[in-house]
Amino acid sequence: MLAGVEVISIILEKFSEIERESPLEITLVQGISRGERMDYTIQKAVELGVHRIVPFKSLRTGVRLPPDRIERRLEHWRGVIHHACEQCGRNRVPSLSSIQSLDEILAAESFSLGAVLNPNGMVDISQLEPAPGPILLVIGPEGGLDDAEIEQLREASFLNLRLGPRVLR
């Protein structure tokens, strides 16, 4: 005994690994939103199982971060990712890329399926075939993507995907 405290020993005899990761390798390309909206989007994306998050500057992005605040914002988002992993019990922490432009993303990313969420999309999510490899999912900021961005993604063979008849806010 140590000053009235009993010492207890534990022997770990067996470890049962629980796999909680999605079999889908989804990279979320998310248009930067204002304040807590971006935090909430990142949190829910992590809880739903994305492997990586790439924030991007859309033509309709209302947030203008000065260069000295970009790294602080990225660190804040990494904290949101870690907390979301703890909350939902994920096995692996999704990575967070630096803020990029849509041109940079399309030049650098490889994927087997590219999709952009668009309330006017022609493909319903229920029509999708399983992707054999990495999936790149693009979602715009508040106000959605600009028509020029939708066209740029269409030209890059992205599906204009709709989730259903409702617009998510």
Side-chain angles (χ1 to χ4, degrees), residues 104-122:
E104 292 169 323
I105 293 164
L106 292 176
E109 297 293 332
S110 61
F111 52 91
S112 63
L113 173 65
V116 54
L117 287 189
N118 180 356
N120 300 318
M122 301 307 290

Side-chain angles (χ1 to χ4, degrees), residues 27-28 30 38 42 46 50-56 70-82 93-100:
T27 295
L28 173 62
Q30 176 63 52
M38 188 69 175
I42 290 171
V46 169
V50 300
H51 283 233
R52 191 161 64 101
I53 300 170
V54 181
F56 83 100
I70 290 174
E71 192 54 43
R72 284 192 313 206
R73 182 59 35 195
L74 289 169
E75 280 306 310
H76 171 77
W77 291 335
R78 284 185 191 99
V80 171
I81 290 170
H82 282 274
V93 177
S95 63
L96 176 70
S97 297
S98 61
I99 298 171
Q100 300 175 41

